[in-house]
PDB file of all heavy atoms in Angstrom:
ATOM      1  N   PHE B  83     -17.201  -6.908   3.776  1.00  0.00           N
ATOM      2  CA  PHE B  83     -18.115  -5.873   3.266  1.00  0.00           C
ATOM      3  C   PHE B  83     -18.340  -6.116   1.797  1.00  0.00           C
ATOM      4  O   PHE B  83     -17.446  -6.537   1.099  1.00  0.00           O
ATOM      5  CB  PHE B  83     -17.411  -4.526   3.439  1.00  0.00           C
ATOM      6  CG  PHE B  83     -17.339  -3.971   4.901  1.00  0.00           C
ATOM      7  CD1 PHE B  83     -17.633  -4.753   5.977  1.00  0.00           C
ATOM      8  CD2 PHE B  83     -16.965  -2.693   5.147  1.00  0.00           C
ATOM      9  CE1 PHE B  83     -17.579  -4.385   7.253  1.00  0.00           C
ATOM     10  CE2 PHE B  83     -16.944  -2.187   6.461  1.00  0.00           C
ATOM     11  CZ  PHE B  83     -17.123  -2.958   7.511  1.00  0.00           C
ATOM     12  N   THR B  84     -19.543  -5.710   1.341  1.00  0.00           N
ATOM     13  CA  THR B  84     -19.832  -5.754  -0.088  1.00  0.00           C
ATOM     14  C   THR B  84     -20.428  -4.374  -0.553  1.00  0.00           C
ATOM     15  O   THR B  84     -21.453  -3.921  -0.021  1.00  0.00           O
ATOM     16  CB  THR B  84     -20.838  -6.842  -0.399  1.00  0.00           C
ATOM     17  OG1 THR B  84     -20.217  -8.114  -0.008  1.00  0.00           O
ATOM     18  CG2 THR B  84     -21.022  -6.927  -1.855  1.00  0.00           C
ATOM     19  N   ILE B  85     -19.781  -3.766  -1.551  1.00  0.00           N
ATOM     20  CA  ILE B  85     -20.345  -2.534  -2.146  1.00  0.00           C
ATOM     21  C   ILE B  85     -21.162  -2.926  -3.339  1.00  0.00           C
ATOM     22  O   ILE B  85     -20.755  -3.826  -4.103  1.00  0.00           O
ATOM     23  CB  ILE B  85     -19.197  -1.567  -2.456  1.00  0.00           C
ATOM     24  CG1 ILE B  85     -19.724  -0.176  -2.893  1.00  0.00           C
ATOM     25  CG2 ILE B  85     -18.218  -2.136  -3.510  1.00  0.00           C
ATOM     26  CD1 ILE B  85     -18.583   0.894  -3.124  1.00  0.00           C
ATOM     27  N   SER B  86     -22.211  -2.203  -3.534  1.00  0.00           N
ATOM     28  CA  SER B  86     -23.124  -2.417  -4.668  1.00  0.00           C
ATOM     29  C   SER B  86     -23.853  -1.285  -5.041  1.00  0.00           C
ATOM     30  O   SER B  86     -23.794  -0.257  -4.230  1.00  0.00           O
ATOM     31  CB  SER B  86     -24.038  -3.660  -4.442  1.00  0.00           C
ATOM     32  OG  SER B  86     -24.932  -3.341  -3.384  1.00  0.00           O
ATOM     33  N   ARG B  87     -24.520  -1.238  -6.134  1.00  0.00           N
ATOM     34  CA  ARG B  87     -25.285  -0.077  -6.555  1.00  0.00           C
ATOM     35  C   ARG B  87     -26.506  -0.486  -7.392  1.00  0.00           C
ATOM     36  O   ARG B  87     -26.446  -1.610  -8.001  1.00  0.00           O
ATOM     37  CB  ARG B  87     -24.402   0.783  -7.389  1.00  0.00           C
ATOM     38  CG  ARG B  87     -23.892   0.347  -8.725  1.00  0.00           C
ATOM     39  CD  ARG B  87     -22.833   1.116  -9.309  1.00  0.00           C
ATOM     40  NE  ARG B  87     -23.379   2.541  -9.674  1.00  0.00           N
ATOM     41  CZ  ARG B  87     -22.530   3.588  -9.788  1.00  0.00           C
ATOM     42  NH1 ARG B  87     -21.227   3.534  -9.603  1.00  0.00           N
ATOM     43  NH2 ARG B  87     -23.056   4.753 -10.090  1.00  0.00           N
ATOM     44  N   ASP B  88     -27.588   0.297  -7.382  1.00  0.00           N
ATOM     45  CA  ASP B  88     -28.743   0.140  -8.254  1.00  0.00           C
ATOM     46  C   ASP B  88     -28.857   1.412  -9.011  1.00  0.00           C
ATOM     47  O   ASP B  88     -29.370   2.422  -8.439  1.00  0.00           O
ATOM     48  CB  ASP B  88     -29.886  -0.119  -7.328  1.00  0.00           C
ATOM     49  CG  ASP B  88     -31.109  -0.436  -8.158  1.00  0.00           C
ATOM     50  OD1 ASP B  88     -31.166  -0.064  -9.366  1.00  0.00           O
ATOM     51  OD2 ASP B  88     -32.032  -1.096  -7.650  1.00  0.00           O
ATOM     52  N   ASN B  89     -28.425   1.454 -10.280  1.00  0.00           N
ATOM     53  CA  ASN B  89     -28.533   2.719 -11.072  1.00  0.00           C
ATOM     54  C   ASN B  89     -29.908   3.153 -11.369  1.00  0.00           C
ATOM     55  O   ASN B  89     -30.211   4.306 -11.559  1.00  0.00           O
ATOM     56  CB  ASN B  89     -27.770   2.544 -12.321  1.00  0.00           C
ATOM     57  CG  ASN B  89     -26.251   2.612 -12.088  1.00  0.00           C
ATOM     58  OD1 ASN B  89     -25.732   2.941 -11.045  1.00  0.00           O
ATOM     59  ND2 ASN B  89     -25.476   2.047 -13.100  1.00  0.00           N
ATOM     60  N   ALA B  90     -30.883   2.196 -11.324  1.00  0.00           N
ATOM     61  CA  ALA B  90     -32.307   2.552 -11.577  1.00  0.00           C
ATOM     62  C   ALA B  90     -32.891   3.313 -10.349  1.00  0.00           C
ATOM     63  O   ALA B  90     -33.804   4.075 -10.609  1.00  0.00           O
ATOM     64  CB  ALA B  90     -33.044   1.233 -11.860  1.00  0.00           C
ATOM     65  N   LYS B  91     -32.191   3.049  -9.203  1.00  0.00           N
ATOM     66  CA  LYS B  91     -32.782   3.746  -8.000  1.00  0.00           C
ATOM     67  C   LYS B  91     -31.745   4.845  -7.548  1.00  0.00           C
ATOM     68  O   LYS B  91     -32.000   5.401  -6.508  1.00  0.00           O
ATOM     69  CB  LYS B  91     -32.927   2.693  -6.881  1.00  0.00           C
ATOM     70  CG  LYS B  91     -34.065   1.657  -7.147  1.00  0.00           C
ATOM     71  CD  LYS B  91     -34.172   0.776  -5.936  1.00  0.00           C
ATOM     72  CE  LYS B  91     -35.270  -0.225  -6.189  1.00  0.00           C
ATOM     73  NZ  LYS B  91     -35.531  -1.115  -5.091  1.00  0.00           N
ATOM     74  N   ASN B  92     -30.721   5.069  -8.350  1.00  0.00           N
ATOM     75  CA  ASN B  92     -29.760   6.142  -7.939  1.00  0.00           C
ATOM     76  C   ASN B  92     -29.227   5.913  -6.571  1.00  0.00           C
ATOM     77  O   ASN B  92     -29.162   6.835  -5.730  1.00  0.00           O
ATOM     78  CB  ASN B  92     -30.266   7.494  -8.134  1.00  0.00           C
ATOM     79  CG  ASN B  92     -30.515   7.955  -9.483  1.00  0.00           C
ATOM     80  OD1 ASN B  92     -30.021   7.367 -10.448  1.00  0.00           O
ATOM     81  ND2 ASN B  92     -31.310   8.961  -9.670  1.00  0.00           N
ATOM     82  N   SER B  93     -28.891   4.647  -6.251  1.00  0.00           N
ATOM     83  CA  SER B  93     -28.562   4.318  -4.859  1.00  0.00           C
ATOM     84  C   SER B  93     -27.260   3.464  -4.791  1.00  0.00           C
ATOM     85  O   SER B  93     -27.006   2.668  -5.723  1.00  0.00           O
ATOM     86  CB  SER B  93     -29.668   3.455  -4.224  1.00  0.00           C
ATOM     87  OG  SER B  93     -30.797   4.335  -3.974  1.00  0.00           O
ATOM     88  N   LEU B  94     -26.422   3.780  -3.746  1.00  0.00           N
ATOM     89  CA  LEU B  94     -25.235   3.001  -3.524  1.00  0.00           C
ATOM     90  C   LEU B  94     -25.466   2.315  -2.114  1.00  0.00           C
ATOM     91  O   LEU B  94     -26.132   2.809  -1.260  1.00  0.00           O
ATOM     92  CB  LEU B  94     -24.099   3.994  -3.405  1.00  0.00           C
ATOM     93  CG  LEU B  94     -22.726   3.459  -2.973  1.00  0.00           C
ATOM     94  CD1 LEU B  94     -22.117   2.666  -4.108  1.00  0.00           C
ATOM     95  CD2 LEU B  94     -21.831   4.640  -2.563  1.00  0.00           C
ATOM     96  N   TYR B  95     -24.837   1.108  -1.963  1.00  0.00           N
ATOM     97  CA  TYR B  95     -24.999   0.340  -0.816  1.00  0.00           C
ATOM     98  C   TYR B  95     -23.633  -0.118  -0.335  1.00  0.00           C
ATOM     99  O   TYR B  95     -22.720  -0.277  -1.021  1.00  0.00           O
ATOM    100  CB  TYR B  95     -25.943  -0.846  -0.998  1.00  0.00           C
ATOM    101  CG  TYR B  95     -27.306  -0.501  -1.719  1.00  0.00           C
ATOM    102  CD1 TYR B  95     -27.440  -0.665  -3.074  1.00  0.00           C
ATOM    103  CD2 TYR B  95     -28.251   0.017  -0.916  1.00  0.00           C
ATOM    104  CE1 TYR B  95     -28.714  -0.368  -3.608  1.00  0.00           C
ATOM    105  CE2 TYR B  95     -29.518   0.371  -1.462  1.00  0.00           C
ATOM    106  CZ  TYR B  95     -29.679   0.215  -2.824  1.00  0.00           C
ATOM    107  OH  TYR B  95     -30.866   0.534  -3.413  1.00  0.00           O
ATOM    108  N   LEU B  96     -23.703  -0.441   1.053  1.00  0.00           N
ATOM    109  CA  LEU B  96     -22.505  -1.155   1.662  1.00  0.00           C
ATOM    110  C   LEU B  96     -23.111  -2.173   2.699  1.00  0.00           C
ATOM    111  O   LEU B  96     -23.675  -1.764   3.685  1.00  0.00           O
ATOM    112  CB  LEU B  96     -21.599  -0.160   2.350  1.00  0.00           C
ATOM    113  CG  LEU B  96     -20.365  -0.732   2.889  1.00  0.00           C
ATOM    114  CD1 LEU B  96     -19.439  -1.167   1.721  1.00  0.00           C
ATOM    115  CD2 LEU B  96     -19.552   0.216   3.725  1.00  0.00           C
ATOM    116  N   GLN B  97     -22.935  -3.385   2.177  1.00  0.00           N
ATOM    117  CA  GLN B  97     -23.429  -4.503   3.081  1.00  0.00           C
ATOM    118  C   GLN B  97     -22.210  -4.892   4.048  1.00  0.00           C
ATOM    119  O   GLN B  97     -21.143  -5.189   3.415  1.00  0.00           O
ATOM    120  CB  GLN B  97     -23.883  -5.705   2.349  1.00  0.00           C
ATOM    121  CG  GLN B  97     -24.195  -6.932   3.183  1.00  0.00           C
ATOM    122  CD  GLN B  97     -25.475  -6.692   4.003  1.00  0.00           C
ATOM    123  OE1 GLN B  97     -26.525  -6.163   3.533  1.00  0.00           O
ATOM    124  NE2 GLN B  97     -25.452  -7.094   5.302  1.00  0.00           N
ATOM    125  N   MET B  98     -22.426  -4.751   5.324  1.00  0.00           N
ATOM    126  CA  MET B  98     -21.307  -4.940   6.229  1.00  0.00           C
ATOM    127  C   MET B  98     -21.643  -6.163   7.208  1.00  0.00           C
ATOM    128  O   MET B  98     -22.698  -6.142   7.881  1.00  0.00           O
ATOM    129  CB  MET B  98     -21.109  -3.725   7.144  1.00  0.00           C
ATOM    130  CG  MET B  98     -20.828  -2.441   6.272  1.00  0.00           C
ATOM    131  SD  MET B  98     -20.377  -0.989   7.346  1.00  0.00           S
ATOM    132  CE  MET B  98     -21.880  -0.798   8.213  1.00  0.00           C
TER     133      MET B  98
END
Side-chain angles (χ1 to χ4, degrees):
Chain B
F83 290 12
T84 302
I85 188 173
S86 62
R87 63 192 298 158
D88 185 336
N89 287 343
K91 295 183 178 179
N92 289 342
S93 292
L94 177 71
Y95 306 102
L96 188 67
Q97 178 67 42
M98 304 187 295

